Amino acid sequence: MLLVIDSANTENIKKLIEFFPIDGVTTNPTIITKENKPFLPLIKEIRSIIGEEKMFFVQVLQEKAEEMVEEALYLKKEIGGNMYVKIPVTVEGIKAIKQLKEQNIKTLATTIYTPMQAFVAAKAGADFVAPYVNRIDNLSGNGVQVVKEIVHIFEQHQLPCRVLAASFKNTQQVHQVCLEGAHGVTAGPDVIESLLSHPSTESNVKQFIHDWKLSYGETSDSLLNTH
Ligand code: E4P
Protein backbone atom coordinates (compact mmCIF):
# COMPACT_ATOMS: atom_id res chain seq x y z
CA MET A 1 0.00 0.00 0.00
CA LEU A 2 1.40 3.36 -1.06
CA LEU A 3 1.88 6.40 1.17
CA VAL A 4 2.22 9.58 -0.90
CA ILE A 5 2.64 13.24 0.11
CA ASP A 6 0.07 15.63 -1.38
CA SER A 7 2.13 18.83 -1.31
CA ALA A 8 4.60 20.95 -3.25
CA ASN A 9 6.19 22.45 -0.15
CA THR A 10 9.85 21.48 -0.39
CA GLU A 11 10.55 21.85 3.34
CA ASN A 12 7.63 19.59 4.26
CA ILE A 13 8.60 17.08 1.57
CA LYS A 14 12.24 16.98 2.81
CA LYS A 15 11.13 16.42 6.40
CA LEU A 16 8.59 13.70 5.58
CA ILE A 17 10.96 11.88 3.20
CA GLU A 18 13.57 11.79 5.97
CA PHE A 19 11.30 10.35 8.65
CA PHE A 20 8.39 8.56 6.98
CA PRO A 21 8.21 5.59 4.54
CA ILE A 22 7.10 7.74 1.60
CA ASP A 23 6.53 6.37 -1.92
CA GLY A 24 6.13 9.64 -3.79
CA VAL A 25 4.56 13.08 -4.15
CA THR A 26 1.34 14.30 -5.76
CA THR A 27 0.62 17.89 -6.72
CA ASN A 28 -2.17 19.74 -8.44
CA PRO A 29 -2.30 23.28 -9.87
CA THR A 30 -3.74 24.72 -6.63
CA ILE A 31 -1.06 23.02 -4.51
CA ILE A 32 1.65 24.41 -6.84
CA THR A 33 0.31 27.99 -6.66
CA LYS A 34 0.45 27.94 -2.84
CA GLU A 35 4.27 27.91 -3.00
CA ASN A 36 4.57 31.20 -4.97
CA LYS A 37 7.54 29.86 -6.93
CA PRO A 38 8.17 29.47 -10.69
CA PHE A 39 6.61 26.19 -11.82
CA LEU A 40 9.41 24.34 -13.62
CA PRO A 41 12.22 25.03 -11.11
CA LEU A 42 9.84 24.00 -8.29
CA ILE A 43 8.92 20.62 -9.76
CA LYS A 44 12.56 19.98 -10.70
CA GLU A 45 13.54 20.75 -7.11
CA ILE A 46 10.91 18.30 -5.82
CA ARG A 47 12.26 15.64 -8.20
CA SER A 48 15.80 16.20 -6.95
CA ILE A 49 14.62 15.94 -3.30
CA ILE A 50 12.72 12.68 -3.79
CA GLY A 51 15.09 11.13 -6.35
CA GLU A 52 14.36 9.47 -9.68
CA GLU A 53 12.73 6.33 -8.31
CA LYS A 54 9.93 7.70 -6.15
CA MET A 55 6.62 8.32 -7.87
CA PHE A 56 5.95 11.93 -8.85
CA PHE A 57 2.45 12.94 -10.00
CA VAL A 58 2.08 16.29 -11.79
CA GLN A 59 -1.19 17.54 -13.28
CA VAL A 60 -1.85 19.06 -16.70
CA LEU A 61 -3.62 22.41 -16.97
CA GLN A 62 -5.08 22.38 -20.48
CA GLU A 63 -8.66 21.24 -21.17
CA LYS A 64 -8.36 19.84 -24.72
CA ALA A 65 -7.00 16.32 -25.18
CA GLU A 66 -4.30 17.26 -27.72
CA GLU A 67 -2.99 20.02 -25.46
CA MET A 68 -3.10 17.75 -22.39
CA VAL A 69 -0.99 15.23 -24.31
CA GLU A 70 1.43 17.99 -25.34
CA GLU A 71 1.78 19.09 -21.68
CA ALA A 72 2.19 15.47 -20.57
CA LEU A 73 5.09 14.93 -23.00
CA TYR A 74 6.66 18.21 -21.81
CA LEU A 75 6.39 17.12 -18.16
CA LYS A 76 7.84 13.71 -18.94
CA LYS A 77 10.79 15.32 -20.77
CA GLU A 78 11.47 17.99 -18.14
CA ILE A 79 10.92 15.98 -14.96
CA GLY A 80 11.86 12.44 -15.94
CA GLY A 81 12.18 9.56 -13.48
CA ASN A 82 9.20 7.62 -12.17
CA MET A 83 6.64 10.11 -13.40
CA TYR A 84 2.82 10.00 -13.63
CA VAL A 85 0.77 12.63 -15.42
CA LYS A 86 -2.46 13.58 -13.65
CA ILE A 87 -5.38 14.03 -16.01
CA PRO A 88 -8.87 15.13 -14.88
CA VAL A 89 -11.67 12.68 -15.84
CA THR A 90 -13.41 14.94 -18.34
CA VAL A 91 -14.36 13.60 -21.78
CA GLU A 92 -11.24 15.30 -23.20
CA GLY A 93 -9.21 13.88 -20.32
CA ILE A 94 -10.29 10.32 -21.14
CA LYS A 95 -9.24 10.87 -24.76
CA ALA A 96 -5.85 12.11 -23.53
CA ILE A 97 -5.45 9.09 -21.22
CA LYS A 98 -6.09 6.76 -24.18
CA GLN A 99 -3.51 8.57 -26.32
CA LEU A 100 -0.92 8.64 -23.53
CA LYS A 101 -1.41 4.92 -22.92
CA GLU A 102 -0.46 4.32 -26.57
CA GLN A 103 2.71 6.36 -26.01
CA ASN A 104 3.58 4.49 -22.78
CA ILE A 105 3.16 7.58 -20.59
CA LYS A 106 1.84 6.62 -17.16
CA THR A 107 -1.28 8.46 -15.98
CA LEU A 108 -3.41 9.04 -12.91
CA ALA A 109 -7.04 9.96 -13.53
CA THR A 110 -7.91 12.69 -11.05
CA THR A 111 -10.97 14.57 -9.74
CA ILE A 112 -12.85 11.27 -9.33
CA TYR A 113 -16.21 11.52 -7.58
CA THR A 114 -17.99 8.35 -8.75
CA PRO A 115 -17.16 4.68 -9.33
CA MET A 116 -18.25 4.99 -12.98
CA GLN A 117 -15.73 7.77 -13.64
CA ALA A 118 -13.08 5.45 -12.22
CA PHE A 119 -14.31 2.56 -14.38
CA VAL A 120 -14.10 4.61 -17.61
CA ALA A 121 -10.64 5.93 -16.68
CA ALA A 122 -9.37 2.42 -15.95
CA LYS A 123 -10.78 1.15 -19.27
CA ALA A 124 -9.04 4.05 -21.05
CA GLY A 125 -5.70 2.88 -19.63
CA ALA A 126 -5.10 4.99 -16.53
CA ASP A 127 -2.57 3.45 -14.14
CA PHE A 128 -4.21 5.05 -11.10
CA VAL A 129 -7.47 6.75 -10.19
CA ALA A 130 -7.69 9.31 -7.40
CA PRO A 131 -11.12 9.48 -5.73
CA TYR A 132 -11.50 12.69 -3.69
CA VAL A 133 -12.64 11.31 -0.33
CA ASN A 134 -13.05 14.50 1.70
CA ARG A 135 -14.52 16.52 -1.18
CA ILE A 136 -17.11 13.74 -1.71
CA ASP A 137 -17.92 13.82 2.02
CA ASN A 138 -18.33 17.60 1.84
CA LEU A 139 -20.98 17.12 -0.88
CA SER A 140 -22.97 14.87 1.49
CA GLY A 141 -21.64 11.79 -0.28
CA ASN A 142 -19.61 8.95 1.25
CA GLY A 143 -15.99 9.11 0.08
CA VAL A 144 -14.99 5.84 1.75
CA GLN A 145 -17.92 4.02 0.11
CA VAL A 146 -16.87 5.37 -3.32
CA VAL A 147 -13.33 4.03 -2.74
CA LYS A 148 -14.73 0.67 -1.62
CA GLU A 149 -16.88 0.34 -4.74
CA ILE A 150 -14.04 1.31 -7.09
CA VAL A 151 -11.74 -1.28 -5.49
CA HIS A 152 -14.50 -3.89 -5.82
CA ILE A 153 -15.16 -3.07 -9.51
CA PHE A 154 -11.45 -3.22 -10.38
CA GLU A 155 -11.06 -6.57 -8.60
CA GLN A 156 -14.29 -8.04 -9.96
CA HIS A 157 -13.35 -7.23 -13.56
CA GLN A 158 -9.56 -7.60 -13.28
CA LEU A 159 -8.96 -4.01 -14.35
CA PRO A 160 -5.21 -3.31 -14.04
CA CYS A 161 -5.65 0.10 -12.40
CA ARG A 162 -4.84 1.07 -8.81
CA VAL A 163 -6.75 3.31 -6.42
CA LEU A 164 -4.71 6.15 -4.92
CA ALA A 165 -7.31 7.65 -2.61
CA ALA A 166 -6.91 11.43 -2.24
CA SER A 167 -8.32 14.46 -0.47
CA PHE A 168 -8.16 13.72 3.25
CA LYS A 169 -8.79 15.93 6.21
CA ASN A 170 -8.29 13.43 9.03
CA THR A 171 -6.80 10.11 10.12
CA GLN A 172 -10.19 8.42 10.30
CA GLN A 173 -10.76 8.85 6.54
CA VAL A 174 -7.31 7.38 5.80
CA HIS A 175 -7.93 4.48 8.21
CA GLN A 176 -11.26 3.68 6.53
CA VAL A 177 -9.89 3.61 2.96
CA CYS A 178 -7.02 1.37 4.14
CA LEU A 179 -9.63 -1.07 5.47
CA GLU A 180 -11.57 -0.92 2.19
CA GLY A 181 -8.61 -1.98 0.07
CA ALA A 182 -7.29 1.27 -1.46
CA HIS A 183 -3.89 0.60 -3.03
CA GLY A 184 -2.53 3.84 -1.65
CA VAL A 185 -3.31 7.19 -0.09
CA THR A 186 -2.04 10.65 -0.87
CA ALA A 187 -2.44 13.12 1.97
CA GLY A 188 -1.12 16.48 3.09
CA PRO A 189 1.85 16.63 5.49
CA ASP A 190 -0.36 17.41 8.49
CA VAL A 191 -2.56 14.34 7.90
CA ILE A 192 0.49 12.08 7.33
CA GLU A 193 2.05 13.28 10.60
CA SER A 194 -1.25 12.72 12.42
CA LEU A 195 -1.24 9.03 11.34
CA LEU A 196 1.61 8.47 13.79
CA SER A 197 0.90 10.83 16.65
CA HIS A 198 -0.67 9.60 19.86
CA PRO A 199 -0.24 11.29 23.27
CA SER A 200 0.13 7.92 25.04
CA THR A 201 3.09 6.96 22.85
CA GLU A 202 4.94 10.14 23.81
CA SER A 203 4.18 9.85 27.51
CA ASN A 204 5.16 6.14 27.54
CA VAL A 205 8.56 6.97 26.02
CA LYS A 206 9.15 9.72 28.61
CA GLN A 207 8.23 7.29 31.40
CA PHE A 208 10.69 4.65 30.10
CA ILE A 209 13.53 7.18 30.20
CA HIS A 210 12.46 8.48 33.62
CA ASP A 211 12.43 4.94 35.09
CA TRP A 212 15.81 4.18 33.55
CA LYS A 213 17.48 7.26 35.03
CA LEU A 214 15.94 6.60 38.46
CA SER A 215 17.57 3.21 38.49
CA TYR A 216 20.90 3.85 36.70
CA GLY A 217 21.45 7.53 37.51
CA GLU A 218 20.93 10.83 35.69
CA THR A 219 24.01 10.41 33.49
CA SER A 220 22.74 7.08 32.07
CA ASP A 221 20.85 8.64 29.20
CA SER A 222 21.88 5.96 26.68
CA LEU A 223 22.35 2.20 26.70
CA LEU A 224 25.94 2.94 25.63
CA ASN A 225 26.85 4.68 28.87
CA THR A 226 24.80 2.56 31.27
CA HIS A 227 26.95 0.14 33.26
C1 E4P B 1 -4.82 14.76 -5.19
O1 E4P B 1 -4.64 14.18 -6.22
C2 E4P B 1 -5.69 15.93 -5.09
O2 E4P B 1 -5.08 16.95 -5.80
C3 E4P B 1 -5.87 16.36 -3.67
O3 E4P B 1 -5.82 15.25 -2.83
C4 E4P B 1 -7.08 17.19 -3.39
O4 E4P B 1 -7.10 17.36 -1.99
P1 E4P B 1 -7.97 18.49 -1.27
O5 E4P B 1 -9.39 18.12 -1.39
O6 E4P B 1 -7.48 18.44 0.15
O7 E4P B 1 -7.63 19.79 -1.93
Side-chain angles (χ1 to χ4, degrees):
M1 174 150 188
L2 301 169
L3 179 60
V4 177
I5 309 168
D6 198 27
S7 172
N9 183 282
T10 51
E11 290 313 307
N12 284 334
I13 293 170
K14 273 183 208 157
K15 182 177 159 201
L16 286 169
I17 290 275
E18 181 180 356
F19 291 99
F20 283 75
I22 297 296
D23 295 294
V25 168
T26 53
T27 63
N28 65 33
T30 303
I31 287 172
I32 297 277
T33 59
K34 283 183 186 154
E35 301 309 311
N36 286 313
K37 289 180 176 175
F39 170 64
L40 201 53
L42 175 59
I43 54 173
K44 285 188 173 183
E45 188 184 354
I46 294 171
R47 170 53 87 207
S48 79
I49 292 167
I50 67 177
E52 295 286 305
E53 288 183 10
K54 290 203 193 295
M55 309 164 103
F56 191 14
F57 301 78
V58 183
Q59 191 165 327
V60 296
L61 195 59
Q62 294 283 339
E63 292 183 89
K64 291 283 181 202
E66 288 68 25
E67 288 153 0
M68 288 180 185
V69 169
E70 194 182 359
E71 285 188 340
L73 296 173
Y74 171 76
L75 290 172
K76 178 71 187 161
K77 177 169 72 75
E78 293 293 339
I79 305 171
N82 190 5
M83 157 89 200
Y84 290 79
V85 182
K86 290 176 71 182
I87 311 270
V89 284
T90 57
V91 173
E92 294 282 341
I94 293 298
K95 181 178 175 184
I97 289 170
K98 288 201 301 170
Q99 291 182 4
L100 290 168
K101 179 74 180 169
E102 284 169 11
Q103 300 190 46
N104 288 322
I105 305 281
K106 296 184 285 190
T107 56
L108 173 145
T110 191
T111 57
I112 301 261
Y113 285 79
T114 72
M116 287 301 96
Q117 290 176 319
F119 163 65
V120 175
K123 279 286 293 173
D127 297 279
F128 282 97
V129 292
Y132 277 13
V133 176
N134 190 65
R135 293 195 196 199
I136 294 170
D137 289 352
N138 283 347
L139 295 169
S140 304
N142 183 337
V144 172
Q145 181 66 20
V146 170
V147 169
K148 180 181 180 176
E149 290 179 16
I150 296 170
V151 169
H152 179 71
I153 290 166
F154 287 2
E155 282 174 1
Q156 185 90 347
H157 302 285
Q158 288 99 46
L159 288 164
C161 181
R162 289 186 280 175
V163 181
L164 184 66
S167 178
F168 292 102
K169 282 294 162 282
N170 58 59
T171 308
Q172 175 67 2
Q173 291 166 328
V174 177
H175 179 181
Q176 291 297 321
V177 302
C178 288
L179 288 174
E180 299 301 353
H183 305 97
V185 292
T186 181
D190 53 335
V191 174
I192 292 180
E193 287 184 11
S194 77
L195 300 180
L196 197 59
S197 74
H198 195 289
S200 294
T201 303
E202 278 187 30
S203 73
N204 287 179
V205 171
K206 285 197 189 322
Q207 186 67 46
F208 291 142
I209 293 168
H210 174 77
D211 292 346
W212 190 265
K213 286 184 175 175
L214 267 186
S215 179
Y216 288 106
E218 271 305 310
T219 55
S220 291
D221 56 356
S222 155
L223 300 184
L224 301 183
N225 56 24
T226 300
H227 304 290

